[in-house]
Amino acid sequence: MNFFAAFLLGLINYALIDNVVLGRFLGLCPFLGVSRKTSTAAGMGTAVVVVITLSSAITFAINKFILLPLDMVYMRTIVFILIIAALVQSVEIILKKKIPSLYNALGVYLPLITTNCAVLGVAIDSAQKEMGFGETMIFSVGTAVGFLIAIVVMAGIRERIEHNRIPEAFKGMPIVLVAAGLMAIAFFGFKGVSF
């Protein structure tokens, strides 16, 4: 199997079959908080794709060339959080300068990427599983695309829910959680797909 086929199958696996939000329940805060409109959700998902991809590449290099040789594996979490925080600040500055409307729409949720457990989870998982650089990048891009798919689909569902009659007890977050549960069940159906 050539690299392109392996890359494509890895992306499909991590984006749909092992979806970070709906299969592993990581990154739920922005998933539930920013998924009110598809445009905002797509912006947040894209920002998460950029941060996960860049942070995975940087954390891979720091883990392999600094932490492992110096036998400082116990510092992984702290170092990875610092790297992710610096990247999020960079993305925030770029969005503020280049796309102020998206920056304002994301509001408080943009800095929350720093504490998004999906971003940190990808970095720690790839380091603990001792993945190579190629596998780390496939894992990180696939996971990030899976987050993007999940948040955009949820935003589309929430936009449709706004225009429907819903019992009073289910209005607001309860119906969103029911929809998220149904999405998780639907994505669980991909578990039977094998390549």
Side-chain angles (χ1 to χ4, degrees), residues 143-158:
T143 301
V145 169
F147 181 86
L148 175 64
I149 290 169
I151 197 169
V152 169
V153 169
M154 176 54 91
I157 291 171
R158 287 181 78 171

Side-chain angles (χ1 to χ4, degrees), residues 13-162:
N13 178 49
Y14 294 121
L16 299 177
I17 299 170
D18 290 330
N19 188 283
V20 68
V21 177
L22 302 171
R24 297 173 61 199
F25 306 111
L26 295 175
L28 288 176
C29 179
F31 174 72
L32 295 173
V34 184
S35 61
R36 295 184 199 282
K37 295 183 180 178
T38 51
S39 59
T40 308
M44 174 60 121
T46 304
V48 168
V49 168
V50 169
V51 170
I52 285 180
T53 304
L54 292 175
S55 68
S56 293
I58 294 169
T59 56
F60 173 84
I62 288 177
N63 185 55
K64 181 170 181 156
F65 299 114
I66 297 174
L67 297 179
L68 288 175
L70 296 176
D71 198 27
M72 296 177 62
V73 177
Y74 59 90
M75 293 292 291
R76 269 187 192 150
T77 305
I78 295 169
V79 170
F80 290 1
I81 288 173
L82 291 173
I83 291 167
I84 291 165
L87 281 170
V88 170
Q89 289 300 312
S90 302
V91 168
E92 189 173 2
I93 290 168
I94 291 168
L95 283 180
K96 191 173 184 179
K97 294 280 185 189
K98 301 288 184 188
I99 314 171
S101 60
L102 181 59
Y103 173 79
N104 292 330
L106 291 175
V108 70
Y109 293 103
L110 189 58
L112 284 178
I113 296 175
T114 304
T115 58
N116 185 343
C117 54
V119 179
L120 183 60
V122 169
I124 290 177
D125 273 358
S126 61
Q128 286 179 342
K129 293 176 182 174
E130 298 178 357
M131 295 179 179
F133 183 72
E135 191 178 2
T136 297
M137 294 316 296
I138 291 170
F139 176 57
S140 64
V141 171
T143 301
V145 169
F147 181 86
L148 175 64
I149 290 169
I151 197 169
V152 169
V153 169
M154 176 54 91
I157 291 171
R158 287 181 78 171
E159 285 179 352
R160 300 278 308 233
I161 288 174
E162 278 183 27

